[in-house]
Amino acid sequence: MLVRKLSVLGSAVRQWEPFSREGAVVEGIGLMIEARGIELGIGEICSIGSDPPVAAEVVGFREGRSLLMPLGELRGIRPGLSVACREKRPQAWVSEQFLGRVLDPMGHALDGGADPEGAVPVPLYGEPVNPLVRRRVDSVLDTRVRALNALLTLGQGQKVGLFAGAGVGKSTLLGMMAREADVDVSVVALIGERGREVREFLERDLGEEGLSRSVVVVSTGDQPSLLRVRGALFAMSVAEYFRKQNRSVLFVMDSLTRFAMALREIGLATGEPPTARGYTPSVFAQLPRFVERAGGIEGEGSITGLYTVLVEGADMTSDPLSDALAAILDGHILLSRDLAAEGIYPSVDLLNSRSRVMPVIADPHHRALAATFLRYESLYRKSEDLIRVGAYVPGMDPELDQAVSLHPRMMEFLSQPAGEGISFTDSLAALEEVLEGEDVRVGSGEGEL
């Protein structure tokens, strides 16, 4: 009996934490709150004060003080307020009832309904995946967008960047894919958006049909940087939850740039040195970890990631963030302001876009058709200025003559109404119709498109 009591006592001692779980605020500068008298680990969630409490996350520590950033408003925070640990391991609570709902980064309803029930905890930051259990991208994802299906074919489990400036139809294309793509679940993360844009996207671009099979997580630009970061992480945790149920998931995030900007704000507030364009080293360390959470896993489903990246003009290399993201993604789709000005939507710049998995998942005839289309498009674009000013002389170059002749049909092929989804099979049939009678050499386009 005595031995048993000693064993129980020993177990209790091992579980006892020899430090205080409550401290006090001692300083607050900018976005950062410093607390003393409580030992905390990075990532733990605390509450500050009690009327009402303000949630905060531990982002660092120095000289015996814990550094916290709020998940809400800083108003009312003052020295001496109590700081208590609420959640030792950062978790996201996810439920099957999330489908069809609009949520904030904490999982609370924003659509006027009650908070979803039946939630289970999943890791907020995800868990590292053994690269040998990842599935290869070997099956086509039917996006229901003709230009992408036929010329920039995407695969299930691929990670793609949508590079675009403002006003070129980015949100419309995202809504089309979230609503129409051949997947089981769409998870949409609207990070750093203006409040007006959120409702417009839900009602105009996604619609009731799209929302019914989607989970939308919203963190607007007026919210604290830590909440914007948490919104992206929470949305990815939701996608991982559905992937574990062997479902195909489309993860749509607008935008990855604003997520990086929020990470930069946190890094600068904690004292990290700024590097290229003010981005801190931790930004370039965390982005690959976040992006790599997508993909397919053996015995589970897949997450196809579509991340928007804001660019200036059409140059992806002028911004260090865009350049870094292009290197870690499995392809990029660049939207053209010139095509948008011509009224061609989606305004995909085919010559500057790439799908790195297309050579693997498309059959030889399909690749040959795409290569032929792109060859004619390239010929036309190179001579476009001469054609427009009337300096082009027909008969000098038969292949260019053919490119000029086909150009109207090619532009018609690229243009697609937002409410009209076109299947993968119909997309290929339309591509063959555009190139009917052309010399399509099977075996061309074997390399990376």
Side-chain angles (χ1 to χ4, degrees), residues 99 181-186 213-214 245-250:
L99 283 172
D182 186 17
V183 294
D184 298 321
V185 178
S186 294
R213 65 159 196 175
S214 301
Q245 298 179 352
N246 202 27
R247 301 193 197 183
S248 59
V249 181
L250 177 64

Side-chain angles (χ1 to χ4, degrees), residues 316-327:
M316 295 192 306
T317 62
S318 61
D319 178 20
L321 181 66
S322 301
D323 198 28
L325 289 171

Side-chain angles (χ1 to χ4, degrees), residues 39-79:
E39 296 184 22
L40 297 166
I42 292 176
E44 294 187 24
I45 303 297
C46 302
S47 60
I48 303 175
S50 59
D51 190 27
V54 175
E57 182 175 330
V58 181
V59 295
F61 44 83
R62 62 175 171 232
E63 299 177 359
R65 296 181 177 184
S66 298
L67 306 180
L68 298 89
M69 291 192 75
L71 291 165
E73 291 291 335
L74 279 170
R75 294 189 185 92
I77 300 293
R78 61 183 185 276

